[in-house]
Each structure stands twice: as C-alpha cells, then as structure tokens.
Amino acid sequence: MNPNLQGTVKGGLTRNRNYMMLMAAQLISNLGEWLYIIALLTMVGFKWNATPWEITAITLSMAIPVLIGGPVAGVIGDRFDRKMLMIVSDLTRALILVGIMFSGNLWQIYVLLVLKGMMDVLFSPAKSGKVKEVVPPQHLEQAVTISSSMEQMMKIVGPALGGLVMAAFGIQQCFVVTSITFVISALFLIGVQGKKKGESSDLSANTSGSETTSHEKKTFLQELSTGLSVIYSMPLLLSGLVTLCSVMLVLQMADTQTVTLFRIIPGVSDDLLGYCISASGFGTLLAALIVRKISWSTLNKMGVGAAATGIVFALAAVAVVSSLPEMMVYVILFTAFFLAGAGGGFVFIPFQMLLMKRTPEHMTSRVFGTVGSLTSAAVIVGPMLGGMLVTMWGPVTTFIISGLGTALLGMTLLILKGRIEQRDHSTTSERSPLQAVTESSL
C-alpha cells in the first residue's frame, strides 16, 4: 500500500492529515486567485481605462499557458515530487503578484500573467496527482466533491471579499494580501507528506519488469501524448471529455456575451449581471453537494446536466425579448442562471470523479494536464466564437442556437449511454489481467 495512505483507509477524510492540509492550501490559494483577479480587472479597467481588446488580451495571457503547457506540466508532475512542484509554484506566484503591483504598463502585465499562467498550469496537475496519492480509492468521490465545493464557495465569497479589501486598503494592498495567501498555501503544503525518492504507484510497483523497463525508456516527447492516449483508450472518459469541452465552450460564449443580451432589457439594472453570476455559483455549489447522493451513472448525470444547461440558456434569451413584466424577467433570468450553474456542476463534477477514479496514479498529472489544456481551448475559443455569432445573428439568436445545441448534445449522450458503457466495458475486459484488476479497484 502507498505509505501516504496508511492510517487513512479506516478513518474518514477528516482524519487524513495529508488531505486536510492539501485542501487548506487549496482554499487559501483559491481565495487569493479571486482577490487578485478582482484587483487586476479593477486596476486595468477603471484606473488604466483599458479597451475591450486589451482586457481580452489579459484573458488570453492567463489562458494560453494552460492551453500550451498542460501536457508538459502533466509530465513534470508525474516525474517529480508533486509536493515540491506545488510549493515552488505558490512561492513563484507570490513573487509575480508583487511584480504586477509595481507594473507601469499593460505589456508588463501581459508578460507577468503569462509567467503566472505557467505556474498555475504546473500547480493544477500536480495537485490532482497528489490527491490521488493521499486519498484511498473509496474516498476519492468525496474528496473531489469537497474540492469542487471549495472552488464554488470561493467563486461566491472571493469577489465580495476582494471588493471589501480594495475598499478598505486600496488596489495595491489587495495584491499584497493575495501574495501572502500563496505563501500561506505553501506553508500548508509543507505539512503534506512528500513522495519518497524511488517510490512508485501501486500499479507501476506491480507491473512486470519488462513493462517497467519500457516505461523508463520513454522519452519526454513520448510521454506528452500519454495523457491523451489514456483518455482515448477509455470510451467513457472520451465521451465525457467531449461533453465537458462542449458545455464549457457554450458557457464561455454565454459568460462573455451576457452583457450584450441584458442590454436589450429596457432600463436594465446594473446589478442584474452580478446577481446572475452569483446565482450560477450557488447552482454549481448545490450540484457539488448533492451530485454524489444521486445514484445515476456518470453519463446520465452529464447528459442531464448538459441538456438542462442548454435549455435554460435558450429560455433566458426568450425571456429577454418577451413582453413579461420587468420583475418577472429578472426572476426568470436569476432562476435560469442558477439552473445553468447546477447543470454545469452535473457535467464538471461527475467527470472529475470519473477521471480521478479511472486514471492510474502514476499518470494522473499527465491526464489532468491534458484535460486542462483541452478545456482551456474552450475557454479561449468560446469568447471569440460568441463575439462572432453575436455580430452575425445578435445575442438572442446566438443564445437560443447555442443553448439548444448543448441540450441536443446532452440528449444524444443519454441516448448513446448504453452503447458507450458497453464499449467501455469491452475495452476494459480486453486489457491485461493486471490492468483490469487495478482499474476495477478504482
């Protein structure tokens, strides 16, 4: 048994010191991320009067490193001590944020954001791999649920807290506070048990000598494709990833064009957008809390989530151009964003659980790095595609078509669910007995 798991199998996650320290580090760093994003957008948007394209460039500077560096960071996360990688990432990000505080122009911001993005992409796959190291298989779903719930809580609390910090101390001090949160995160990570040199996962430790030798002979470039190969070899993961990326693409289109949709409403309140974003966060948080308690299969949850997300987005667009009273329109939009957040949660969280359970420990960082890279592509393409479609068709038509398209994807997944699961079972059965036994334990 992995030494990191000793003493945690019989106890729950609250008795798993390594996991609790890891989640404390995540909680603090998630809070820091929202503080820094609010401070950054306030600084460049209001103090520097950045143009829409300059703000778009900021988003791209944060997303492109994840798109390009995900697989590379995954290989690094599987080759080296994940704990040390996370600590280095946290401390480097703390220094970068101090640099942003003293920046004098946008080009300096862009460069520093790219550097920070490289540290972000190094941290995330390493964290996913570390969770796999320190959490027993029977607790993995609960571990993913807790992690996802924390992220959604910070999505709700973080922006409000960022506003309070800026109001009390100013924008510059907000960057200082954010830098300190990353240092605190690194201190929590010091308390997480590291992986001893030469220690391997249960799977790699039990493979034959020929398999181990083959693994050791792989070059860095060959290992870059491993994450995608693992996903492609499991139809369940592959279909889930296609659904996840498609839903993220639509959500990014909607997030960036929501303002253009709301502008159609006569005398629209300035607070409506903020309320709807908060409603979306509450919906995803609710999904994180209840998704494990629903006994549907992973594809059932993802299919229903995608269908619900698409339908409510289409209905939101219809409500905007309806002749309903203004307050009724606001209630419908608030409810639609809440349900869309919940639907998104039913897509994201079950897939994260499935990915964590089905991926061998020694490949976790590579697989999660590949997934991060592909979802980042959706983050980049979504806003561009949304802008193009809104320009051609207008926001209402764009929301209706993209929403119904997402709903159709979710329904298609539900229809093909049995076939996909049957093919996945057949693929698993064709593997070597050792691999089949290992995967069945996950």
Side-chain angles (χ1 to χ4, degrees):
M1 178 181 291
N2 188 329
N4 286 334
L5 301 183
Q6 290 179 357
T8 66
V9 175
K10 293 183 179 180
L13 283 177
T14 55
R15 295 186 181 181
N16 187 333
R17 181 178 180 275
N18 289 323
Y19 178 75
M20 296 305 292
M21 297 293 278
L22 190 60
M23 288 301 98
Q26 177 189 314
L27 182 66
I28 295 296
S29 61
N30 283 163
L31 175 61
E33 281 290 336
W34 278 107
L35 292 177
Y36 125 79
I37 289 174
I38 296 300
L40 176 66
L41 294 178
T42 301
M43 182 176 72
V44 301
F46 292 100
K47 290 189 67 177
W48 294 4
N49 295 316
T51 67
W53 280 113
E54 287 172 336
I55 295 176
T56 299
I58 287 176
T59 303
L60 293 177
S61 297
M62 292 188 287
I64 287 177
V66 183
L67 172 64
I68 299 175
V72 177
V75 174
I76 294 172
D78 284 334
R79 282 192 170 192
F80 299 98
D81 188 322
R82 290 160 176 159
K83 168 186 169 179
M84 291 309 302
L85 290 174
M86 289 187 288
I87 291 174
V88 169
S89 173
D90 270 342
L91 296 179
T92 305
R93 288 187 289 182
L95 291 174
I96 291 172
L97 288 169
V98 173
I100 291 177
M101 181 177 66
F102 290 106
S103 298
N105 59 65
L106 280 172
W107 283 107
Q108 292 175 356
I109 295 289
Y110 297 150
V111 172
L112 289 172
L113 288 180
V114 170
L115 293 175
K116 183 181 177 298
M118 293 169 63
M119 292 299 103
D120 291 338
V121 75
L122 187 66
F123 185 94
S124 186
K127 189 210 84 172
S128 299
K130 197 64 184 177
V131 169
K132 185 86 173 189
E133 282 183 32
V134 303
V135 176
Q138 64 268 36
H139 293 156
L140 279 176
E141 286 194 3
Q142 184 183 3
V144 173
T145 299
I146 292 173
S147 179
S148 299
S149 299
M150 284 183 178
E151 290 178 0
Q152 296 308 315
M153 287 174 62
M154 287 303 102
K155 181 179 179 181
I156 297 168
V157 174
L161 189 57
L164 291 176
V165 172
M166 283 189 294
F169 305 107
I171 295 176
Q172 301 298 318
Q173 283 67 32
C174 196
F175 284 112
V176 174
V177 173
T178 303
S179 181
I180 292 172
T181 62
F182 283 111
V183 174
I184 295 173
S185 173
L187 292 176
F188 275 115
L189 289 171
I190 291 175
V192 179
Q193 184 177 350
K195 198 172 202 179
K196 296 179 181 179
K197 188 175 181 180
E199 181 185 310
S200 59
S201 67
D202 291 344
L203 177 62
S204 58
N206 288 290
T207 51
S208 65
S210 60
E211 288 173 321
T212 304
T213 302
S214 173
H215 172 71
E216 291 174 349
K217 287 183 178 180
K218 283 185 178 180
T219 66
F220 190 87
L221 290 177
Q222 287 174 325
E223 290 194 37
L224 283 177
S225 62
T226 303
L228 190 58
S229 299
V230 170
I231 295 170
Y232 186 78
S233 68
M234 302 181 190
L236 207 59
L237 281 181
L238 182 60
S239 58
L241 181 58
V242 170
T243 305
L244 174 68
C245 290
S246 301
V247 171
M248 285 200 69
L249 184 71
V250 173
L251 288 178
Q252 287 300 314
M253 290 170 55
D255 284 347
T256 55
Q257 298 301 325
T258 299
V259 174
T260 62
L261 180 69
F262 285 2
R263 281 201 301 241
I264 299 174
I265 304 173
V268 62
S269 170
D270 294 338
D271 298 330
L272 180 60
L273 180 61
Y275 287 141
C276 287
I277 292 175
S278 296
S280 175
F282 277 114
T284 308
L285 176 60
L286 177 64
L289 295 175
I290 68 173
V291 70
R292 286 181 61 242
K293 299 178 181 179
I294 298 177
S295 59
W296 299 346
S297 69
T298 297
L299 293 189
N300 265 335
K301 292 175 183 177
M302 295 186 71
V304 170
T309 300
I311 290 172
V312 296
F313 268 132
L315 290 177
V318 173
V320 166
V321 294
S322 68
S323 57
L324 294 171
E326 180 181 291
M327 185 55 64
M328 182 64 71
V329 172
Y330 286 3
V331 170
I332 292 174
L333 290 175
F334 186 86
T335 305
F337 273 78
F338 174 82
L339 293 175
F346 267 74
V347 175
F348 306 147
I349 298 168
F351 180 77
Q352 290 289 322
M353 292 177 178
L354 177 67
L355 194 64
M356 187 67 76
K357 289 196 294 182
R358 295 291 295 271
T359 305
E361 182 191 308
H362 68 288
M363 295 181 181
T364 306
S365 294
R366 277 169 286 181
V367 172
F368 273 82
T370 300
V371 171
S373 181
L374 293 173
T375 52
S376 293
V379 171
I380 293 172
V381 174
M384 297 180 178
L385 183 59
M388 182 179 68
L389 294 179
V390 167
T391 301
M392 290 190 304
W393 299 333
V396 173
T397 303
T398 298
F399 266 72
I400 291 175
I401 292 177
S402 59
L404 293 179
T406 305
L408 180 61
L409 175 67
M411 294 173 185
T412 302
L413 185 65
L414 292 174
I415 293 171
L416 298 178
K417 177 186 74 73
R419 212 176 277 181
I420 294 170
E421 290 174 343
Q422 185 178 8
R423 185 179 174 189
D424 185 81
H425 179 73
S426 299
T427 303
T428 303
S429 301
E430 291 172 1
R431 294 176 186 159
S432 66
L434 172 63
Q435 289 173 313
V437 170
T438 303
E439 187 164 291
S440 66
S441 69
L442 298 177

